[in-house]
Amino acid sequence: MAKGRILYISQDVTPFSPETEASMMGRLLPQYSQEIGREIRVFVPRFSFINDRKHQLHEVIRLSGMNLIINNCDHQLIIKVGSIPAARMQIYFIDNEEYFNRFGDIYDEKGILRPSNDERILFFGRGTLEAVRKLAWQPHLIHFSGWFSGMVPFYLRRINKENSFFSGTRTVLSLYNDPFEGRFSEELEKKMRNDKATAKDLRIYQNLDYMTLMKAAITYANGIVIASPDVNPELIRFAKENKRHVIDYMENRTDFFARINKLYDSLCGSAIHN
């Protein structure tokens, strides 16, 4: 039986988000991993369309309350939890009144990114990893999905410089056909610099549009899952040229999930059985 602790950081998970290829993957892959014997945790952003009452979300007091400094301002990290009874899974939600309620949706009426999204992805990436540290639950591997999780590798590297909590943790990125129009604010570089970004980080994340963000995520990931049949071919080439472990898309979900879990074992080796 498979072992190991897998942290899933997803942009969307059904039934909390509308049903898409990505949200179904976010729902079914962790369930599969759990059913074959792994420990899992799943974290997602609590977007404004997710209704607390409808989904019976409640705040996890012991995890909430810390403040994260983003752009030299304190922002309260709120952790909520909901469940998917049929899958016997808990889902943790990263929340903040300003970022996920007051600012509205991540796109405007024309489908363009709102200016607040640069700070939102910083808050989500850092907030998730800080919450996992507070849980004192050390993952062997982090599988992150969707462009909204694109800053997870940056914060993972930054935290590793400060302490050894995530030392040895491997990463896998799922790629989808989920591009957005426009680019992030030019202020993002300053905000990352305030959060101890190195010169290398700033080069990789410079002029951040969809392709740049996903290539940066690929650069820092150990494995890549092609999770959609129509992923941008340029991203697939980039992953293979950079000699990442790549799992190609498969229509049969059971076979696909089995191959992904074999990738976990391959990346983590004997450590995942401890």
Side-chain angles (χ1 to χ4, degrees), residues 31-44:
Q31 179 182 349
Y32 177 93
S33 298
Q34 179 172 256
E35 288 176 349
I36 65 171
R38 302 193 194 277
E39 289 183 51
I40 65 160
R41 297 291 186 275
V42 182
F43 279 78
V44 296

Side-chain angles (χ1 to χ4, degrees), residues 2 4 19 33 42 91 138 142 144 148 157 160 205 213 243 251 258:
E19 189 171 310
S33 298
V42 182
I91 309 295
Q138 294 177 287
I142 298 173
F144 61 108
F148 203 83
R157 293 175 64 252
N160 276 341
Y205 288 99
L213 178 62
K243 302 187 185 305
E251 288 189 10

Side-chain angles (χ1 to χ4, degrees), residues 6 11 18 42 53-54 72 98 101-102 104 116 130 142 154 163 193 196 217 227 233 249 261 268 274:
I6 312 296
Q11 183 168 321
V42 182
R53 181 176 298 178
K54 175 183 176 182
N72 287 327
E98 186 174 30
N101 285 324
R102 193 176 308 158
S116 59
E130 294 291 356
I142 298 173
F154 164 64
N163 63 71
R193 196 185 302 275
K196 303 181 183 180
Y249 176 77
N261 272 269
C268 297
N274 294 332

